[in-house]
Amino acid sequence: MQTGIKAADTFRQLAEGMGQAGTPHFYPTLVERLAKLLGVDHVLVARVNAGNAVHDDLPTNLAETLAVWSNDRFLPNVTYPLAGTPCEGVVGREPCLYACNVQQRFPDDHMLAELGAESYMGLPLYSSDGTPIGLLAVLKNSPMSLNGLAREVLSIVAAQAGAELGRQQAEAALKASEVVARESERRLDTLLNHLPGMAYRCLNDDHWTMELVSQGAYQLTGYHPDELVDNHRTSFAELIHAEDAESVLEETQAAIDNKRPYQVTYRLRHRDGQLRWMWEQGQAVFDDAGEVLCLEGFITDVTESQEAQRVQQAVMQVASTVTSHVGDDYFQQLIGTLVELLDADSGFIALLDRPLYDANENTSATISTVSVIADGEALLNQSFLLNGSPCEQVITQREAVSHCGHYAPIPGKAIQAQAWIGRRLDNAEGDAIGVMMVFYREPLSTNAFATSVLRILSTGAAAELERRRDQRRMYQLAYVDGTTGLSNRVRFMDIHAKMLRDAARRLQSLSLILLDIRRFKEINDTHGHQVGDQLLSTIAGRLEGVIPDGGFLARLSGDEFAILLANPSEAELSAKLDDLRGAVGKTIHLEHNAFNLQVSMGFARYPADATVAAELFKAASIALHFAKRDGIICPFSHDMMHHQRRRQKMAERLHQALVDNRLALYFQPQVNLETGQLTGAEALCRWHDAEWGWVSPGEFIPLAEERGLIRALGDWVLGEAARQLREWQTRGIALPGRLSINIAAQQFADPQLAQHIAELTQGVPASALALELTESDFMRDPDQAVEITQAMRAAGYALYIDDFGTGYSSLAYLRHFAADALKIDISFVREMLDNQHDRAIVQTIIAMADALDMKTLAEGVEHQEQAALLAEMGCLDAQGFLFGRPKPADAFAAAWLRR
């Protein structure tokens, strides 16, 4: 990211770009804004089919760009294969950074060459179920260095772009089925045979020729449906009383001309000769040219009883509610009208939620009300267990009634009932999604009218409920973490900014706590992601239990949570930190395992530590960094900021040193303890900065690993080591044995590592090199480590396991690692003369190496007594200050290679 851009301005500009969500301008605006914010030359967003999407119209393993910004202009969208591109490594995986030389790494990617890209950063986009659906890529025509804020911006943009793409795909699927769903719903609503009356479809001709008639026709007219269809026995128009026929025709045609529904009342002659009053409602169906295809509607007998008249009135009122109150108060109006029409005392419409996981491994469906009316007053919505509630019977039976009993419809609410009537609400596939229920304080004697009204209302209510559930899913996709149900990072940023504005307006404080679960990755790797997700869900529930009113909890990513506390005192903040630690620290039992977790927490306060949201978050992040390093609860201090700025500056200067080739290789001799002869050397990277002088490898190498520079640094070391060996060979100087080169964990994660090393060390035989792999690094994925080490061994490289004894090696795996030597860590060698435990460990390592046909090499030998004891134990090779300190190439050659 360009230096000098303030974080607040960055997030403001980012928010303005993402404000186009839901419009065609979203992706073009996003890529243009992102390119300017990050100071890169190219930005693209693409959708992909990684082979997981069953109905994706995009062929497998192709990417289709949604917007491309390149060199201050938009490029046309294209479709390109993922194979052979850096994008292939991004889809469905972790973010990937190639800080330089990306064209050399991917020579078959023609787009990189056309754009002139030198560096590449890619992030995957996911759907709500974790399916990879796209990618976001930023490219630069020069080497790229991204600071923490830039990565934060990219994470937010990737989350929002993924949410928008998921929303678009969901919306497309909904639109594709909308026409069929509307037609099915319309016919279902008009042709249900249990409606009180006759449902029909007829032609708009002189006879009202019936094309379809429901079974209700027989009770209404005395004629069977097949006698009315196509006027087989009589036409429906002939049954209408002559005195009413003209007015019925005029009103119907006027409604058709105005393209509105019609409602008419008239007398109809029954087959038995009696006249009965009919109430009819219908509407015309038009084709694309505006011509009438047919008329559809239903007719009911309004003379039989007052009950039928009430149904008529209910249908009219409900139709008015449904068509006039679509909006936030839709369900409130609907249930209010329903309670009034059915002379009920209370009622609610509720959504059936998906089963939830709890720590006891039980699942239980829940019901969440969307609107509740009792005694004419709206009550707050509430969720409760489906099991044991009246809703359970309604869900099971589709329609259910209880005439007498004693019920508390909503647990914890002051609603008591002795009778109830309920109707299940189904989606278009016929699956239950909710219930609609009314309750009575007195026992119920009849229910025919109420059940008829509920049937009529259920279709419209279910359609609106499903629409709102889809909206909630989209909200959850954008703002809710799918594993824990907490707010996600995007939602947190919104709430964080709002709470800080509120605190500023009220002249109050705001505390931000960032909480990280220590060693969680080890649990995830050991027990699997399913257990890890269950663990996170349980932790989230515990944290929610200690968050006070007015506080806010979110899961940011992985095992990191954020807590906002409004205006806490020092004592309250301290107590809450203890509560949070205690909540997580209490033993968690999952799948017969007991987990005892510890947390690291960093926190910062407004206005003491920062005055804007972005700076407060940065301060808390810095405090968390120190907390994780020291395993403590850590408040922010400005000294931390200075330290972090130094690290940031160091990362930038290290990157520039790599680009400008201002690093150096030093060489430390490795000798035979019996003969004192040189048996090899280790190549060690050194950095002399023009401003800071010599920078310790213990400082800049961990920084390179943290900031994503270790691959580039490792490549430089391999290339420079090969160059030096070739130079010595040209000068007729031979290095006995092998030159040892350290391989970092991020390099070791590359399955093609052996081939990559061969490309970097061309002209140097594999037999001249030994690759040192840290024990803790290859134990992160032992199975992959076995494959990679065997491939490197097959290529001719010697393999040394560095720092042996400090990690967690499995002897079962060690037999398959194909290593040539174990390097005994300096921490054991240093104290072996005075500490019998360290001496025993060294002896054990040597014996184990002998049993596995490996040699041993001791590090950090500084005294002759150490060398003698090691030789006596059977260790043949060693390195350390006793034999020589690391030297530049020429000094090393003068001291060791010209003897």
Side-chain angles (χ1 to χ4, degrees), residues 461-624:
E464 178 65 11
L465 196 63
E466 186 171 20
R467 185 185 71 82
R468 296 199 177 194
R469 189 173 68 168
D470 289 340
Q471 284 186 330
R472 189 169 72 167
R473 285 174 180 167
M474 292 172 61
Y475 174 87
Q476 290 176 332
L477 181 65
Y479 296 112
V480 177
D481 172 57
T483 301
T484 63
L486 299 177
S487 294
N488 63 10
R489 191 183 202 93
V490 177
R491 178 63 174 161
F492 165 77
M493 300 305 292
D494 292 341
I495 298 299
H496 181 199
K498 179 181 181 301
M499 290 184 68
L500 191 138
R501 288 194 300 268
D502 291 343
R505 185 177 66 255
R506 298 168 182 168
L507 301 179
Q508 295 178 342
S509 68
L510 178 68
S511 294
L512 170 58
I513 304 167
L514 297 183
L515 181 150
D516 181 89
I517 310 300
R518 297 179 63 190
R519 301 174 69 90
F520 179 78
K521 186 178 184 303
E522 291 182 16
I523 295 175
N524 226 17
D525 293 343
T526 303
H527 296 276
H529 290 285
Q530 182 177 359
V531 171
D533 288 348
Q534 293 173 2
L535 199 60
L536 287 172
S537 180
T538 302
I539 292 170
R542 290 187 175 183
L543 293 177
E544 281 187 300
V546 298
I547 299 300
D549 292 341
F552 180 75
L553 170 67
R555 180 192 178 202
L556 300 186
S557 63
D559 57 350
E560 186 174 336
F561 297 83
I563 300 98
L564 289 165
L565 301 178
N567 201 35
S569 66
E570 290 291 335
E572 289 171 340
L573 177 58
S574 177
K576 194 52 59 182
L577 289 167
D578 289 339
D579 290 343
L580 292 168
R581 180 166 55 183
V584 178
K586 184 179 178 182
T587 302
I588 299 175
H589 297 277
L590 287 177
E591 296 188 0
H592 311 295
N593 293 304
F595 298 98
N596 294 288
L597 305 176
Q598 295 179 322
V599 297
S600 299
M601 286 187 284
F603 63 93
R605 291 158 291 193
Y606 165 87
D609 299 325
T611 56
V612 296
E615 292 299 323
L616 184 63
F617 184 82
K618 182 189 297 184
S621 298
I622 292 172
L624 178 62

Side-chain angles (χ1 to χ4, degrees), residues 715-760:
D715 287 354
W716 181 87
V717 170
L718 284 164
E720 179 64 16
R723 185 201 65 76
Q724 187 60 60
L725 287 174
R726 291 194 299 268
E727 180 182 325
W728 283 341
Q729 184 179 15
T730 301
R731 292 164 52 187
I733 300 174
L735 174 70
R738 297 177 185 258
L739 181 63
S740 299
I741 301 173
N742 288 282
I743 301 298
Q746 294 179 33
Q747 294 174 279
F748 195 62
D750 182 3
Q752 304 300 320
L753 180 60
Q755 179 181 347
H756 184 58
I757 292 174
E759 293 172 355
L760 291 171

Side-chain angles (χ1 to χ4, degrees), residues 42-63:
H42 321 281
V43 179
L44 66 86
V45 177
R47 73 182 184 100
V48 301
N49 181 356
N52 300 320
V54 178
H55 303 295
D56 200 327
D57 60 346
L58 189 67
T60 304
N61 292 326
L62 285 184

Side-chain angles (χ1 to χ4, degrees), residues 251-324:
E251 174 59 25
T252 302
Q253 294 305 317
I256 293 172
D257 292 341
N258 293 319
K259 294 187 177 181
R260 61 175 174 80
Y262 54 84
Q263 296 177 1
V264 291
T265 303
Y266 55 86
R267 288 166 292 176
L268 182 140
R269 188 172 299 278
H270 193 272
R271 192 169 193 170
D272 62 8
Q274 295 183 4
L275 287 176
R276 299 187 181 184
W277 282 97
M278 300 293 146
W279 180 87
E280 177 178 352
Q281 175 173 296
Q283 62 182 9
V285 179
F286 299 90
D287 61 17
D288 293 338
E291 298 295 326
V292 177
L293 291 175
C294 63
L295 306 181
E296 291 184 341
F298 72 90
I299 307 168
T300 185
D301 187 333
V302 294
T303 61
E304 290 292 328
S305 65
Q306 183 65 28
E307 195 79 353
Q309 296 178 19
R310 290 181 62 204
V311 170
Q312 170 191 342
Q313 181 181 4
V315 172
M316 293 173 62
Q317 291 188 29
V318 170
S320 176
T321 300
V322 171
T323 57
S324 302

